[in-house]
Amino acid sequence: MFKKIIDHEIGKGGRGMYIQCEKSKTYFDVKDFKVGTGLNVPENVLNEIELNESKSSIGVWNAELLNELNYGEDFIKRKKCLTKNDAEQLFKRTKKRQKVISISEPIFDNNYENCVVSVSYLKFTGSAYGKKYFLKKVYGIWTVIVEYEIWMI
């Protein structure tokens, strides 16, 4: 899942990014999902994801996941993830906008065939944007179905 999101972001032109270690909690609301996407996902799947949201928590990504990413420094700047403090120090040190991606803990349905995950980009102190992804496992491969709830500050 983690690698799929990074691959997707890089495929959309995400070059020169840093990855943040902390994963935030993911929030999900069936009504917001239906309005925001217009997808016809079975009601039981959406209800399972909404129910499983309560199990989502703040955590830290396993550093080994970064080692599995086979991108050069022009795509991912460091093979070590950044803490929130590291990101703040990066902004202060460079005094430039950066791309620090933060990926939340995914929320799955009970069969682990569908999930929702949030992605945020920190650009500079006080400047960020993000979105949610709905993914489905298709023939054993996680596939991005839709991006929704896009936001910016």
Side-chain angles (χ1 to χ4, degrees):
M1 173 63 54
F2 180 85
K3 185 173 180 342
K4 183 62 174 186
I5 295 298
I6 296 292
D7 288 347
H8 187 77
E9 288 297 315
I10 286 175
K12 290 174 38 183
R15 299 176 69 96
M17 69 175 98
Y18 294 89
I19 299 173
Q20 189 168 310
C21 302
E22 290 92 353
K23 53 184 168 180
S24 59
K25 180 175 173 53
T26 303
Y27 296 94
F28 182 79
D29 180 86
V30 171
K31 267 194 257 180
D32 290 346
F33 176 83
K34 288 179 175 180
V35 169
T37 67
L39 291 176
N40 189 16
V41 177
E43 197 73 27
N44 66 311
V45 168
L46 296 178
N47 290 334
E48 288 171 4
I49 291 172
E50 189 171 55
L51 185 64
N52 291 336
E53 172 199 351
S54 64
K55 299 172 192 169
S56 173
S57 63
I58 296 170
V60 176
W61 285 104
N62 182 339
E64 295 301 312
L65 290 171
L66 285 167
N67 294 333
E68 294 176 19
L69 302 174
N70 297 321
Y71 292 109
E73 281 188 20
D74 54 332
F75 292 103
I76 296 178
K77 294 274 193 179
R78 289 175 47 173
K79 287 294 182 188
K80 185 176 178 235
C81 62
L82 302 178
T83 64
K84 287 182 183 179
N85 188 45
D86 292 338
E88 284 299 318
Q89 293 305 314
L90 175 68
F91 296 140
K92 285 179 185 174
R93 189 179 71 248
T94 64
K95 296 183 182 359
K96 292 200 280 189
R97 296 176 68 76
Q98 302 290 337
K99 288 184 188 177
V100 180
I101 188 171
S102 175
I103 302 171
S104 72
E105 179 175 17
I107 307 173
F108 296 95
D109 65 342
N110 293 346
N111 293 326
Y112 291 89
E113 294 175 350
N114 302 277
C115 86
V116 172
V117 65
S118 299
V119 173
S120 302
Y121 271 104
L122 305 173
K123 300 299 279 179
F124 201 74
T125 304
S127 176
Y129 68 93
K131 59 192 150 202
K132 288 184 181 173
Y133 286 101
F134 180 77
L135 295 98
K136 181 170 184 54
K137 202 175 246 188
V138 179
Y139 301 114
I141 297 170
W142 285 106
T143 305
V144 174
I145 302 299
V146 70
E147 297 175 19
Y148 70 106
E149 284 189 21
I150 298 166
W151 59 270
M152 184 181 297
I153 56 170

